[in-house]
């Protein structure tokens, strides 16, 4: 049987004396959409950042497509990968942040093609054609020559999604991608993400958009205090939560 796309085993992460992740176990299947929900400070974004080694775990092990994240095992010992090796693995995982992080001096098209050409050394003409197709998929085919300051926040975030997809990732991570947007712009970004989910992209999404999680997620993980309190289908988590902490969180939202 095919191994899960992502496996986390006994993950712990500390910032000084603060324990942010506490012995977390989870997995994500290929083609699955998993939403991480919970209060601020529950460890959701930290867990997401650990998956591509933007944060180093202090205990446990993380695997993406069966390979250790950030380390190499030799016998019974783990050795941290060199930065260039980490960067190569990270290129296989697309990540979209709260802030768009676009290059302000580059056009939309230049933002999307920069990494596939500069990092992956792919053919420029093919990359441009792919970028045009991706921008069309997120509804921005007419903005190729625009600069980020000429775009709305929702448009910038859709460029960021296209930029991540241009690397042909096997996994997409979204860290509260709509939290920095005005409410009227949230829908257009969620629509682009919904389209990805329908295409079978493996996705892990940290979100406060509960309705979106209900509609799109195959599975929802509710986190609080650095642990996964409860997980299940959207119907189970939102319609019939079993843990009192989950019930209390959802009742405040409604």
């Amino acid at each position: 049987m095919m191994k899960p796309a992502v496996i986390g085993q006994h993950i712990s992460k500390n910032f000084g004396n603060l324990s942010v992740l506490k012995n977390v176990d989870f997995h994500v299947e290929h083609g699955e959409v998993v939403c991480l929900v919970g209060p601020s400070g529950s460890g959701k974004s930290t867990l997401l950042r650990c998956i591509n080694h933007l944060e180093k775990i202090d205990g446990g092990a993380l695997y993406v497509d069966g390979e250790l994240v950030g380390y190499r095992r030799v016998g019974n010992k783990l050795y941290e990968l060199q930065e260039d090796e980490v960067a190569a693995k990270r290129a296989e995982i697309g990540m979209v942040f709260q802030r768009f992080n676009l290059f302000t001096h580059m056009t939309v098209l230049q933002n999307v093609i920069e990494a596939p050409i500069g990092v992956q050394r792919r053919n420029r003409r093919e990359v441009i054609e792919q970028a045009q197709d991706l921008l069309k998929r997120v509804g921005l085919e007419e903005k190729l020559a625009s600069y980020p300051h000429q775009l709305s926040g929702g448009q910038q975030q859709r460029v960021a999604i296209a930029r991540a997809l241009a690397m042909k990732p096997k996994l997409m991570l979204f860290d509260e991608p709509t939290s920095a947007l005005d409410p009227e712009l949230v829908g257009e970004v969620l629509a682009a993400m919904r389209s990805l989910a329908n295409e079978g992209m493996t996705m892990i999404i940290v979100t406060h958009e509960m309705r979106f999680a209900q509609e799109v997620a195959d599975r929802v993980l509710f986190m609080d205090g650095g642990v996964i309190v409860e997980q299940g289908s959207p119907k189970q988590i939102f319609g019939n939560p079993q843990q009192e902490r989950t019930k209390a969180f959802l009742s405040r939202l409604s």
Side-chain angles (χ1 to χ4, degrees):
M1 292 180 63
M2 182 180 293
K3 292 182 179 179
V6 184
I7 300 173
Q9 297 175 334
H10 312 305
I11 304 302
S12 64
K13 174 64 183 176
N14 306 312
F15 292 115
N17 294 325
L18 179 63
S19 181
V20 181
L21 297 174
K22 306 170 185 176
N23 202 37
V24 173
D25 288 306
F26 75 101
H27 73 279
V28 178
E29 300 293 343
H30 291 273
E32 190 176 29
V33 178
V34 172
C35 284
L36 304 180
V37 303
S40 297
S42 58
K44 308 183 300 297
S45 291
T46 299
L47 179 58
L48 200 73
R49 291 171 64 85
C50 288
I51 293 171
N52 63 0
H53 208 55
L54 287 174
E55 298 287 355
K56 300 177 184 179
I57 61 176
D58 295 310
L62 268 166
Y63 299 85
V64 172
D65 259 3
E67 295 186 4
L68 271 170
V69 173
Y71 297 89
R72 178 184 295 108
R73 189 184 300 277
V74 179
N76 293 323
K77 290 188 176 182
L78 290 179
Y79 297 90
E80 188 168 5
L81 299 179
Q82 298 294 318
E83 186 54 41
D84 60 338
E85 295 176 288
V86 172
K89 294 296 182 184
R90 194 176 287 148
E92 299 175 345
I93 303 173
M95 186 157 186
V96 178
F97 300 87
Q98 297 178 29
R99 297 291 173 178
F100 325 122
N101 297 336
L102 300 179
F103 296 115
T104 58
H105 65 289
M106 292 184 178
T107 66
V108 165
L109 180 61
Q110 289 169 335
N111 264 281
V112 176
I113 69 174
E114 173 73 10
I117 294 173
V119 176
Q120 295 180 327
R121 306 296 181 188
R122 286 161 48 197
N123 179 272
R124 182 180 180 86
R125 178 179 295 178
E126 291 178 4
V127 170
I128 289 175
E129 290 178 357
Q130 178 200 20
Q132 291 170 331
D133 179 60
L134 289 171
L135 289 166
K136 184 176 182 179
R137 283 170 60 187
V138 297
L140 293 173
E141 62 268 34
E142 297 179 358
K143 299 291 185 180
L144 297 178
S146 298
Y147 286 87
H149 74 270
Q150 298 172 313
L151 306 177
S152 70
Q155 290 172 329
Q156 290 186 58
Q157 192 62 296
R158 284 185 281 152
V159 174
I161 292 172
R163 181 179 61 179
L165 291 172
M167 298 291 282
K168 297 186 176 180
K170 53 182 146 186
L171 168 68
M172 283 288 288
L173 309 177
F174 294 86
D175 187 8
E176 299 187 28
T178 61
S179 64
L181 300 178
D182 293 332
E184 64 267 25
L185 302 177
V186 168
E188 63 193 57
V189 175
L190 295 182
M193 295 170 63
R194 191 176 287 110
S195 176
L196 283 181
N198 291 337
E199 293 169 13
M201 173 64 74
T202 307
M203 301 163 65
I204 307 176
I205 306 167
V206 173
T207 184
H208 290 294
E209 301 287 341
M210 296 300 138
R211 183 174 296 178
F212 175 74
Q214 285 181 270
E215 293 175 2
V216 173
D218 296 301
R219 200 152 39 91
V220 176
L221 276 57
F222 171 67
M223 293 188 68
D224 189 34
V227 301
I228 296 174
V229 176
E230 187 169 358
Q231 61 178 296
S233 68
K235 184 177 180 180
Q236 175 189 327
I237 296 298
F238 294 108
N240 188 30
Q242 301 300 301
Q243 301 298 320
E244 291 303 319
R245 183 66 189 92
T246 315
K247 294 177 184 178
F249 174 75
L250 293 174
S251 67
R252 282 204 297 271
L253 294 179
S254 59

